[in-house]
């Protein structure tokens, strides 16, 4: 076995080594609780510089937006402004305890209230909660509210949510977490939800539909208003998956086309960093009839009397689905998103969507020279290409993606949506320059040539990454999920 | 505009290539009557302006780091070593996404593997996942795991009244569509042993917390045995404070099936409640019912050690409506912070921090218990948080402390338990950490004493 790229922190441990020093005890010692004290604490023993170098070296094994284009479809990997990091770290935010009396956290509450208001303004909804921790949790919140709203109206027979086959996997998963049934809807030949299939599925059992607009093919749902009418016509509600809001922010109010409830991904549209997989934040907007069902609590403003300043506090919606996380939300992420919205204003947000769509269509126009791009339409913020070439065996989306790594850029989302064969889902975002887009297109075209000329180059890729292709089957068959000292002795 | 780089000439070139004339043409499929609504947002701010605006909002908060603080109740003011923010500020970590492409995500993946290992070390459990959103959602996921272990056939869940009130609310909100019966927390006098006595063959799990919401260490010694005497298969899930595990026996040593909790004390700032970190560990037997991401060790085509996300067939992007949970992300950067925290303190450091918490809290409890009108219950041992019976409503005392009536600086007092437990009127939950100097503790006790004297003289 060759040398690992970087030892595990446990492997750097030397018994007796002290890390960052801890202050001395300045009070008398108390008796320890009998029988409750642990014998051994098997943590690593390393010095502070060991830690710094270890994590610095690990960081260098990553690819990140700060290094280059990261066109992962449906993830909106846009530039994360550095000012956001500065504002989120202001001492008055970092040091606020979530249980402080509301009178001592008026700044934090005002920020949350203003963000609720801005998001409502951007989406056209009546009210917004900033409590949900991530988009998936926002979906759960949305489905729970739809369910409870209909239950409270005595419609106990409703138990089904319709989900198009192009939907994110979280949509059906969130639905089944609420105990509801999922019925999948096919897409039509233009990439829209199939209206006939929808008409044949709607009935008195329907709680509603979860719809992503633009959908995961990057296409605007052309019948969105009809979909809303059909679902509302049978007494159901429409959930909007806001993952793709970057295409429409400032261009359209999602609420205008009949969406009753929608989550926002602050880590997508509103530039908060993805952090290697979190923390995200998934605020939820609702139309008027669902306002009383929002998670508990929401922030409310009380205007001051006789010129006194307004005050901010918590409000408990009377029919709330309850609380979905401790405290009030991913506050640090809210500060970043607030910063982003305030720096853009209305025109700036519209500019974001327009350039996200411009960039996607430009890249699409170049990529389709060598790749089949189904659905000949203007796309929105992303598009899906087929990652295969006629007459070239054993080269698919995976091989193309691994070869992109060799060329020094990040691959797109692969094999999703499921309805396109060997899908490559490409979302460049508005923050990429023309040069960056051309560079990416040039690489994709070159890979298409490589596939014809030397397909093994793709099959064996990556060649230039920190590691070669990793054995995922072996990892799942024989799971090693933690450091085990014994396992190291080969 | 702000972060869109194109020049007007470039934009024209791109539009021409696409075959449209103007940006608006790209939105022809958006019904025209809805296109470009007026948004009532404040005009855009420059970097200088937004920093000024947010500095003003931040300064409108009392910074708990700037005054003696004795507030805990699920979020704790701990020292965050400088290394932690250095590590999580690296753009390579902060601006990467979920490690979908393992070959260019080895930094994130190895860090998660180390995090999983450290959580196993701390909790005494064999498997830990890549994290949940916070302690509350980790507790809800424990209930759902237990529900899935019994193939959704057992619908009874017993939860102790001393589990954090927010966690109990979240468990109920998450499972409201699952037709579970969640009981046990109706009366504060119900002990974990009482819960064990209620276990039957329809009970999926018993949830307790230790140190519990009131700071007390629960009697975990025979709890698993008592549960299993009633029903051999019922799961025991224990929420815990990770700092306490620097000193105390981990729940794994008491035969717990699931150990979870709030990871905020491990190097995360207070941040007005988030983002925090839900740590989660369980037994190997339950790997297939475990929610959330898992990173496993493997090898590349040349035999070099590497890491991948694994057992993904449990997850939503593969299994959709049959997934173990809808969770998509973990708390990546927060898990990284906890990893850097545990690494930089290490074995000795965490033991020392835990000891500082324990001894300072006991010093404070003793000082306060000695005061006229105040008493500290010695019913159960505690770690760094304890309940003080007060001679007046806690809100009233806290206001006086905050106003600095009895001290040189404002003091942020403890948590008013009457908010959650009507039986606990006039009871304050006091948290003491390594951040509280002896002088602060003495000033706090002196202020309480002065309050009581004042109150007595007014009577």
């Amino acid at each position: 076995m060759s040398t690992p790229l970087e030892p595990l922190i446990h492997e750097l441990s030397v018994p007796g080594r002290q890390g960052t020093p801890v202050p001395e005890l300045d009070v008398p010692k108390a008796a320890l609780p009998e029988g409750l004290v642990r014998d051994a604490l098997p943590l690593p023993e390393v010095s502070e510089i060991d830690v710094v170098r270890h994590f610095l070296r690990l960081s260098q094994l990553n690819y990140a937006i700060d290094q280059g284009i990261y066109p992962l479809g449906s993830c909106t990997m846009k530039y994360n402004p550095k000012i956001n990091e500065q504002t989120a770290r202001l001492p008055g935010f970092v040091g606020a305890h979530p249980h402080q009396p509301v009178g001592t956290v008026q700044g934090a509450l005002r920020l949350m209230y203003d963000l609720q208001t801005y998001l409502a303004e951007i989406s056209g909804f009546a009210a917004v909660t900033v409590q949900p921790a991530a988009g998936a949790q926002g979906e759960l919140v949305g489905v729970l509210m739809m369910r409870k709203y209909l239950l409270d109206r005595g419609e106990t027979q409703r138990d089904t949510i319709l989900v198009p086959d192009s939907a994110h996997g979280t949509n059906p998963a969130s639905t089944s977490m609420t105990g509801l049934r999922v019925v999948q809807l096919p897409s039509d030949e233009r990439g829209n939800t199939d209206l006939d299939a929808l008409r044949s599925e709607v009935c008195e059992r329907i709680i509603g539909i979860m719809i992503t607009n633009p959908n995961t093919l990057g296409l605007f749902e052309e019948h969105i208003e009809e979909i809303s009418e059909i679902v509302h016509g049978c007494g159901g509600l429409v959930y909007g998956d806001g993952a793709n809001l970057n295409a429409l922010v400032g261009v359209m109010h999602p609420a205008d086309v009949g969406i009753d409830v929608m989550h926002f991904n602050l880590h997508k549209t509103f530039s908060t960093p993805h952090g290697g997989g979190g923390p995200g934040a998934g605020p939820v907007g609702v139309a008027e009839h669902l306002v009383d069902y929002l998670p508990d609590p929401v922030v409310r403003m009380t205007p001051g009397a006789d010129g006194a300043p307004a005050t901010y506090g918590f409000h408990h919606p009377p029919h709330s689905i309850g609380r979905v996380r401790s405290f009030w939300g991913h506050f640090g992420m809210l500060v970043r998103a607030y910063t982003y919205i305030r720096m853009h204003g209305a025109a700036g947000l519209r500019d974001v969507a327009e350039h996200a769509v411009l960039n996607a269509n430009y890249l699409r126009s170049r990529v389709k020279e060598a790749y089949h791009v189904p659905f000949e339409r203007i796309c929105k913020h992303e598009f899906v290409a087929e990652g295969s070439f006629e007459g070239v065996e054993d080269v698919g989306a995976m091989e193309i993606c691994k070869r992109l790594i060799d060329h020094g850029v990040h691959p797109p989302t692969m094999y999703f949506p499921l309805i396109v064969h060997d899908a490559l889902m490409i979302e460049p975002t508005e923050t990429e320059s023309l040069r960056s887009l051309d560079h990416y297109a040039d690489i994709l075209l070159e890979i298409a040539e490589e596939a014809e000329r030397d397909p093994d180059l793709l099959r064996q890729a990556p060649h230039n990454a920190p590691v070669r292709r990793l054995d995922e089957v072996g990892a799942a068959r024989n799971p090693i999920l933690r450091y085990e000292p014994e396992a190291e002795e080969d | 505009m702000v972060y869109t780089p194109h020049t007007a000439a470039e934009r024209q070139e791109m539009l021409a290539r696409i075959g449209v004339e103007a940006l608006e043409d790209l939105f022809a499929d958006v019904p025209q009557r809805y296109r470009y609504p007026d948004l009532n947002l404040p005009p855009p701010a420059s970097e200088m302006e937004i920093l000024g605006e947010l500095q003003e909002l931040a300064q409108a908060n009392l910074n708990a780091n700037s005054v003696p603080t004795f507030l805990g109740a699920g979020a704790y003011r701990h020292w965050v070593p400088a290394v932690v923010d250095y590590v999580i500020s690296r753009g390579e970590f902060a601006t990467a996404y979920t490690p979908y492409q393992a070959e260019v995500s080895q930094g994130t993946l190895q860090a998660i593997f180390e995090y999983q290992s450290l959580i196993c070390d701390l909790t005494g459990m064999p498997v830990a996942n890549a994290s949940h959103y916070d302690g509350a959602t980790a507790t809800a996921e424990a209930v759902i795991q237990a529900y899935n272990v019994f193939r959704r056939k057992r619908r009874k869940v017993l939860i102790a009244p001393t589990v954090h009130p927010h966690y109990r609310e979240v468990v109920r909100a998450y499972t409201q569509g699952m037709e579970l019966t969640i009981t046990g927390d109706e009366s504060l006098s119900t002990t974990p042993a009482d819960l064990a006595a209620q276990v039957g063959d329809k009970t999926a799990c018993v949830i307790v917390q230790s140190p519990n919401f009131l700071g007390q260490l629960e009697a975990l010694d025979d709890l698993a045995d008592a549960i299993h005497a009633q029903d051999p298969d019922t799961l025991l899930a224990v929420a815990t404070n990770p700092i306490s595990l620097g000193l105390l026996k981990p729940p794994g040593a008491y035969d717990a099936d699931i150990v979870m909790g709030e990871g905020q004390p491990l190097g995360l700032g207070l941040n007005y409640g988030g983002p925090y970190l839900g740590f989660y560990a369980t037994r190997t037997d339950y790997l297939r019912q475990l929610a959330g991401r898992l990173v496993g060790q493997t090898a590349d085509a040349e035999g070099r050690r590497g890491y991948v996300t694994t057992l993904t067939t449990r997850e939503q992007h593969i299994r959709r409506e049959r997934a173990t949970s809808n969770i998509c992300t973990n708390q990546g950067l927060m898990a990284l912070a906890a990893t850097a925290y545990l690494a930089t303190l290490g074995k000795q450091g965490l033991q020392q921090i835990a000891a500082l918490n324990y001894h300072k809290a006991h010093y404070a409890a003793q000082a306060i218990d000695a005061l006229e009108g105040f008493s500290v219950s010695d019913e159960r041992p505690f770690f760094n948080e304890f309940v003080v019976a007060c001679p007046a409503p806690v809100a009233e005392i806290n206001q006086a402390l905050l106003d600095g009536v009895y001290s040189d600086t404002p003091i942020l007092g403890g948590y008013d338990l009457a908010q959650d437990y009507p039986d606990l009127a006039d009871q304050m939950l006091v948290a003491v950490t390594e951040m509280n100097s002896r002088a602060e503790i003495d000033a706090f006790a002196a202020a309480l004493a002065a309050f009581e004297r004042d109150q007595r003289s007014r009577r």
Side-chain angles (χ1 to χ4, degrees), chain A residues 338-360:
Chain A
Y338 177 102
T339 305
Y340 183 81
I341 292 172
R342 282 289 290 111
M343 286 191 64
H344 281 78
L349 291 176
R350 168 176 160 178
D351 183 76
V352 163
E354 287 179 334
H355 286 85
V357 172
L358 175 71
N359 280 1

Side-chain angles (χ1 to χ4, degrees), chain A residues 131-141 170 174 177 267 277-282 324-327 329-330, chain B residues 115 129-141 170 174 261-264 268 273-280 292 316 325-332 334-335:
Chain A
Q131 187 181 109
Q137 203 184 45
E139 290 178 21
L140 178 67
V141 162
T170 46
S174 301
M177 266 179 92
H267 48 288
V324 294
R325 48 154 298 140
S326 52
F327 310 116
H330 276 170
Chain B
Y115 165 80
N129 74 4
S131 71
H132 285 296
Y133 306 130
D134 63 1
T137 59
T139 306
E141 295 284 2
V170 173
Y174 259 53
E262 179 52 70
Q264 177 271 333
L268 311 186
Y276 290 173
L277 170 71
F279 66 87
Y280 194 95
Q316 50 78 24
S325 166
N326 72 340
I327 191 164
C328 188
T329 51
N330 63 337
Q331 290 288 95
M334 303 296 102

Side-chain angles (χ1 to χ4, degrees), chain A residues 20 225 277 338 342 369 471, chain B residues 17 34 36 53 298 330 344:
Chain A
T20 306
E225 285 186 280
Y338 177 102
R342 282 289 290 111
E369 286 172 16
D471 180 8
Chain B
R17 162 98 203 182
Y34 301 131
Y36 303 129
E53 177 177 322
T298 188
N330 63 337
T344 201

Side-chain angles (χ1 to χ4, degrees), chain B residues 259-335:
Chain B
V259 182
M260 67 285 176
E262 179 52 70
Q264 177 271 333
L266 300 174
L268 311 186
L270 287 167
N271 278 309
Y272 199 51
Y276 290 173
L277 170 71
F279 66 87
Y280 194 95
T282 188
R283 292 182 191 277
T284 316
D285 302 351
Y286 303 132
L287 260 183
R288 305 279 157 185
Q289 289 85 33
L290 179 59
R293 301 234 188 258
L294 276 172
V295 170
Q297 183 181 310
T298 188
D300 75 358
E302 290 168 4
R304 188 187 288 268
R305 188 169 79 186
Y307 301 89
V308 291
T309 53
T310 193
L311 302 174
T312 53
T313 53
R314 302 164 296 115
E315 294 185 61
Q316 50 78 24
H317 63 286
I318 308 279
R319 183 145 294 190
R320 300 177 75 88
E321 68 269 22
R322 290 185 303 283
T324 50
S325 166
N326 72 340
I327 191 164
C328 188
T329 51
N330 63 337
Q331 290 288 95
L333 210 60
M334 303 296 102

Side-chain angles (χ1 to χ4, degrees), chain B residues 64-76:
Chain B
N65 289 318
S66 67
V67 295
T69 293
F70 297 89
L71 192 54
Y76 300 89

Side-chain angles (χ1 to χ4, degrees), chain A residues 371 383-387 397 400-401 412-414 416 422-426:
Chain A
Y371 293 79
F383 65 97
V384 178
E386 280 179 17
I400 294 165
C401 285
T413 297
M414 58 185 188
F416 187 84
D422 273 298
L424 294 172
M425 187 195 206
I426 305 176

